[in-house]
Amino acid sequence: MTTTTTPGTTALTNIASLVTNDPSLGDGTPIGLIQDAAVVIDGDRVVWVGESSKAPATDNAVDAGGRAVIPGFVDSHSHLVFAGDRTQEFNARMSGRAYSAGGIRTTVAATRAATDAELSANVARYLAEALRQGTTTQETKSGYGLTVDDEARALRIAREHTDEVTYLGAHIVPPDHADDPAAYVALVTGEMLDACAPYARWVDVFCEKGAFDGDQARAILTAGAAKGLHPRVHANQLSYGPGVQLAVELDAASADHCTHLTDADVDALAHGATVATLLPGAEFSTRAAWPDARRLLDAGATVALSTDCNPGSSFTSSMPFCIALAVRDMGMTPDEAVWSATAGGAAALRRQDIGRLTPGARADLALLDAPSHVHLAYRPGVPLVTAVWRAGERVH
């Protein structure tokens, strides 16, 4: 592969197959696949896509060498501001112990004890790890501090690394409020929210048995919305519950997990604007039942894929791994899984500028050491991402 580095327009040519996620292009499918393609970048934007033979003249050129190009992955759900390690918990679970939300408390203790520098270094490490695997947009949450000061600093640190920051003071009720959950909800919707809102774009809640019930979740999300934070919900992960219905009712951008769904839940997602974000790394790491992506897709719901990268239930930053799981175990085709990991994630963040490679989109793209995006599922575990551009800059 050859490239020049002088400023100006750049063409990536000799692309075997290009995923644009624009159905008006290429083969007319949702992924808008163009064979023998080229992409032209000017600054931080895509300005042209099409057949390589028709590419306009540019200042610079990159020969893709007959490889595939896809949009950069959009990971719309992660928990990267943490300290400590839960290897022993994982080992025990793989030896037969069931997963529950209580393990979060272990990470809370370690995170509270960590310095700002340690937490920031951890976030930077996992973002770099994800970038090497093609992730160019990353959402991340607080939720491992659960005091006013610790939640605010988690969001401040997260904001130094990404614009997609979520306030998750309502991750669990911490041990120091175990006897008075109502007081903790009051804190999350009051003083903690006031301290955290300036750093966040989103508000989230773990609506689940052992965490927060439907009434508590509604209070938390509506309080956040009143402060200008848009809702998203940890919904229906461990059991059936009100999370999905609440997410759709409140116009949450995303209902995340969606493992245990009634027909009414599926219907609500299919007819609302809320994206169903599926997190197969969590099911893999907890030996839980897989979400039924096929059921959601066939109903007409918008589906995203994300890593849920966190130290307890899904310690992976690999979107390619999640794609492979979704194809193998959740009923998705390779095309659907790649769309959900790119355009689907963008929809879950209500972004129009990412997750696609069309004129005007941000120039976020990954070059695969393979002739087709299908290889992401066909060759699971193989590091196929060989180069990454983010906002027009080659960063890996």
Side-chain angles (χ1 to χ4, degrees):
M1 182 170 58
T2 59
T3 181
T4 57
T5 57
T6 52
T9 55
T10 298
L12 278 72
T13 62
N14 194 19
I15 299 169
S17 60
L18 172 68
V19 173
T20 67
N21 287 337
D22 184 342
S24 71
L25 299 174
D27 64 357
T29 65
I31 65 168
L33 192 69
I34 304 175
Q35 306 288 347
D36 189 18
V39 176
V40 176
I41 298 169
D42 188 356
D44 66 349
R45 297 286 152 173
V46 174
V47 294
W48 186 91
V49 297
E51 296 178 8
S52 200
S53 62
K54 299 177 182 178
T58 57
D59 300 310
N60 310 299
V62 176
D63 185 346
R67 299 176 176 91
V69 169
I70 64 171
F73 297 123
V74 181
D75 191 346
S76 61
H77 183 128
S78 72
H79 305 250
L80 302 183
V81 189
F82 70 88
D85 180 89
R86 285 159 68 180
T87 303
Q88 291 182 346
E89 175 192 319
F90 175 81
N91 191 33
R93 187 165 64 243
M94 292 300 102
S95 302
R97 190 175 76 199
Y99 170 68
S100 71
I104 294 168
R105 294 176 177 85
T106 304
T107 300
V108 169
T111 303
R112 288 178 178 179
T115 66
D116 288 12
E118 289 168 338
L119 293 176
S120 184
N122 280 346
V123 175
R125 171 189 171 190
Y126 297 122
L127 286 175
E129 184 179 273
L131 183 64
R132 291 193 298 270
Q133 299 172 89
T135 297
T136 50
T137 300
Q138 183 88 50
E139 181 271 358
T140 199
K141 310 175 192 297
S142 66
Y144 293 126
L146 309 185
T147 68
V148 172
D149 290 343
D150 284 309
E151 284 295 291
R153 76 160 177 155
L155 292 170
R156 174 175 50 78
I157 290 167
R159 189 61 178 266
E160 293 169 358
H161 297 276
T162 180
D163 293 334
E164 297 295 347
V165 177
T166 301
Y167 168 48
L168 183 59
H171 203 179
I172 60 165
V173 177
D176 46 337
H177 283 82
D179 295 332
D180 194 358
Y184 186 67
V185 172
L187 182 68
V188 168
T189 58
E191 182 184 357
M192 188 184 288
L193 174 61
D194 292 340
C196 290
Y199 302 108
R201 182 183 178 202
W202 307 96
V203 59
D204 200 346
V205 59
F206 189 9
C207 184
E208 186 62 66
K209 294 175 183 176
F212 298 89
D213 65 24
D215 291 340
Q216 292 169 327
R218 181 188 300 278
I220 290 161
L221 295 173
T222 54
K227 284 285 188 178
L229 306 183
H230 203 92
R232 44 199 327 111
V233 185
H234 282 61
N236 301 53
Q237 176 188 4
L238 305 177
S239 61
Y240 295 98
V244 163
Q245 297 285 343
L246 182 63
V248 174
E249 177 192 335
L250 297 181
D251 189 37
S254 183
D256 297 34
H257 288 289
C258 294
T259 309
H260 298 276
L261 301 179
T262 65
D263 289 344
D265 293 331
V266 173
D267 186 66
L269 289 164
H271 291 92
T274 299
V275 173
T277 299
L278 308 183
L279 310 171
E283 278 70 39
F284 177 88
S285 296
T286 60
R287 286 183 174 158
W290 297 103
D292 189 347
R294 183 81 269 136
R295 181 185 180 198
L296 287 160
L297 290 165
D298 288 348
T302 301
V303 172
L305 286 175
S306 185
T307 64
D308 191 18
C309 185
N310 75 83
S313 60
S314 183
F315 201 9
T316 180
S317 58
S318 175
M319 291 289 276
F321 174 65
C322 292
I323 287 170
L325 292 179
V327 172
R328 167 63 176 80
D329 291 305
M330 290 162 47
M332 300 185 87
T333 68
D335 284 11
E336 289 167 340
V338 169
W339 189 95
S340 293
T342 52
L349 295 174
R350 298 208 165 160
R351 297 275 297 271
Q352 298 293 323
D353 60 325
I354 56 176
R356 59 190 178 93
L357 291 175
T358 55
R362 199 171 77 174
D364 294 351
L365 54 100
L367 178 67
L368 305 182
D369 191 14
S372 168
H373 64 282
V374 177
H375 282 235
L376 291 165
Y378 180 40
R379 304 196 69 207
V382 178
L384 293 179
V385 174
T386 190
V388 180
W389 283 258
R390 183 171 59 191
E393 179 183 358
R394 187 170 176 178
V395 290
H396 169 61

